[in-house]
Amino acid sequence: MMYEIAVIPGDGIGPTVVDAALPVIKDAGDAHGVELDVTTYDWRTERYLDRGAMMPEDATDQLADFDAILLGAVGHEEVPDHVTLRGLLLPIRKTFNQYVCKRPTTLFEGVRSPLRGYRGGDIDFVVYRENTEGEYADVGGREHHGYDNEVAVQSAVFTREGVERIVRRAFEAARDRSGSLTSVTKSNAQAYGMVLWDDVVDEVSEEYPDVAVERLLVDAASMDFVRRPDEFDVVVASNLFGDILTDLGAAVSGSMGLAPSANLNPDGPYPSLFEPVHGSAPDIAGREIANPLATVLSGAMLFEDLGEDAAAADLRTAVQDQLASSAAPRTPDLGGDAATAEVTADLRERI
Ligand code: IPM
Ligand code: MN
């Protein structure tokens, strides 16, 4: 089987991790007769600085027919993040209706959690983050710039359809896993959108009597991600809460350098986008020490989405085995001193 894949390395450590991970991902495909035909796009902040736009105007048309998209990272010290993100990643998520942001949180064997007493396998949950609306809606404005009466309005937008589709996907995931779902809101303080969210969870839950539902406010959920991360299985949250909680999830499971994500358009017709959660990390950009494993694991999610489960499993097994081996190379975020390329060279031998 052959798939057309668009690759956008992007900014900062994005190109480092994508260049390193792609050969590993391709090896896993090759091992199962899966060929990836890659087209690389140089859409990044340097393009914005040269030509005034992160991507060409017809960028989403160019991407629309690919089977999947792999993204490194977006973000650059010379341009405010809200400009670069709104010029690349956010329009892709919204235009392609990638309403599920799926982010697994796994404490791998051989990786140390900053939390005392947790061992490999103890933390293993997945966050379903709403990815097209909520607090990320582009609704609001700013007036009277620089004056004392300056005003900024930023509206969160929750639609019944938008909430229902992510909640339903999360219930399906919970049913496939251990049958428990945690819905995170702040409906004590946000009495409109978040209460709509709670109502929809209640309604949809009636169709899933086999799934146990827990409702948490986001402040309590943050505490519990630290206090009892082993008890979560599937977590569903709004765009902003899902964003924040998945960084916390990555931290308690050892490193941002291990956290993959999938921005999914589950019902078609658009491609889904796969990316490491870590971002462009300008502080270590160009030093070739970025951890490529989050991108490799994003590649596994890409294969899974294409229905290529065997290739996905090969990537995951290689990563698991590498992390479990005390002799294997590790990047500094995991306490090692290996370069990015050493980690991927070792992985390629394992595949
Ligand atoms: C993420 C990132 C993005 C987000 C930023 C860079 C806009 O933090 O993918 O988690 O908040 O969605
Ligand atoms: Mn984030």
Side-chain angles (χ1 to χ4, degrees):
M1 204 52 191
M2 156 121 105
Y3 298 97
E4 307 281 342
I5 309 293
V7 173
I8 309 173
D11 294 320
I13 61 170
T16 308
V17 292
V18 166
D19 290 351
L22 207 46
V24 184
I25 296 171
K26 283 186 164 178
D27 283 355
D30 288 345
H32 298 280
V34 178
E35 204 187 320
L36 301 182
D37 182 17
V38 167
T39 305
T40 304
Y41 293 92
D42 67 346
W43 301 343
R44 54 170 60 99
T45 304
E46 270 156 42
R47 187 184 189 283
Y48 174 87
L49 292 169
D50 282 355
R51 292 192 251 170
M54 298 291 290
M55 318 190 279
E57 264 178 31
D58 65 346
T60 46
D61 293 336
Q62 290 190 47
L63 295 176
D65 291 329
F66 281 92
D67 294 305
I69 305 165
L70 180 69
L71 173 76
V74 185
H76 192 286
E77 281 172 316
E78 282 170 43
V79 181
D81 288 335
H82 70 269
V83 173
T84 53
L85 269 309
R86 286 172 61 177
L88 203 157
L89 177 59
L90 300 180
I92 294 177
R93 286 180 182 165
K94 288 183 190 182
T95 307
F96 289 158
N97 214 5
Q98 293 166 347
Y99 65 85
V100 176
C101 184
K102 180 177 174 185
R103 296 188 161 180
T105 292
T106 317
L107 176 58
F108 289 97
E109 197 186 318
V111 174
R112 238 183 53 201
S113 169
L115 304 179
R116 187 162 20 94
Y118 286 91
R119 308 172 53 102
D122 288 349
I123 304 175
D124 178 15
F125 61 85
V126 57
V127 176
Y128 276 65
R129 166 189 179 190
E130 200 294 319
N131 212 30
T132 53
E133 55 173 45
E135 309 87 340
Y136 280 48
D138 199 8
V139 173
R142 223 171 127 178
E143 233 187 347
H144 312 304
H145 281 270
Y147 292 95
D148 289 348
N149 61 341
E150 181 160 9
V151 50
V153 174
Q154 180 99 45
S155 299
V157 173
F158 290 89
T159 66
R160 178 172 279 279
E161 186 192 8
V163 176
E164 191 174 325
R165 61 190 185 177
I166 184 69
V167 163
R168 206 172 275 286
R169 292 283 164 181
F171 269 102
E172 292 291 329
R175 179 173 268 178
D176 288 347
R177 291 173 56 109
S178 72
S180 85
L181 174 70
T182 305
S183 170
V184 179
T185 63
K186 185 68 188 173
S187 48
N188 54 348
Q190 305 257 291
Y192 308 117
M194 295 279 169
V195 174
L196 170 65
W197 181 290
D198 282 353
D199 289 348
V200 170
V201 169
D202 282 348
E203 287 166 28
V204 175
S205 73
E206 287 176 18
E207 294 168 44
Y208 297 85
D210 48 328
V211 174
V213 182
E214 173 188 37
R215 293 209 309 209
L216 285 181
L217 298 172
V218 68
D219 43 359
S222 309
M223 186 171 66
D224 286 346
F225 265 43
V226 174
R227 208 165 56 164
R228 52 172 190 99
D230 50 311
E231 290 178 22
F232 293 104
D233 188 37
V234 179
V235 178
V236 65
S238 65
N239 212 331
L240 181 63
F241 293 172
D243 174 50
I244 297 168
L245 289 173
T246 50
D247 269 29
L248 185 51
V252 298
S253 49
S255 174
M256 279 299 283
L258 295 174
S261 80
N263 300 271
L264 301 171
N265 171 240
D267 334 285
Y270 301 111
S272 295
L273 180 147
F274 301 83
E275 53 168 343
V277 176
H278 53 58
S280 63
D283 53 321
I284 57 162
R287 292 175 51 201
E288 304 297 325
I289 55 162
N291 191 338
L293 295 182
T295 310
V296 172
L297 292 168
S298 301
M301 296 185 85
L302 183 154
F303 278 133
E304 196 175 62
D305 187 54
L306 296 174
E308 300 295 349
D309 292 348
D314 269 16
L315 285 177
R316 287 208 184 95
T317 306
V319 170
Q320 265 164 24
D321 291 353
Q322 182 185 67
L323 290 169
S325 154
S326 55
R330 283 164 189 261
T331 45
D333 56 300
L334 293 174
D337 58 4
T340 309
E342 292 172 72
V343 172
T344 45
D346 176 85
L347 275 183
R348 293 186 78 176
E349 278 172 32
R350 292 172 193 275
I351 287 175

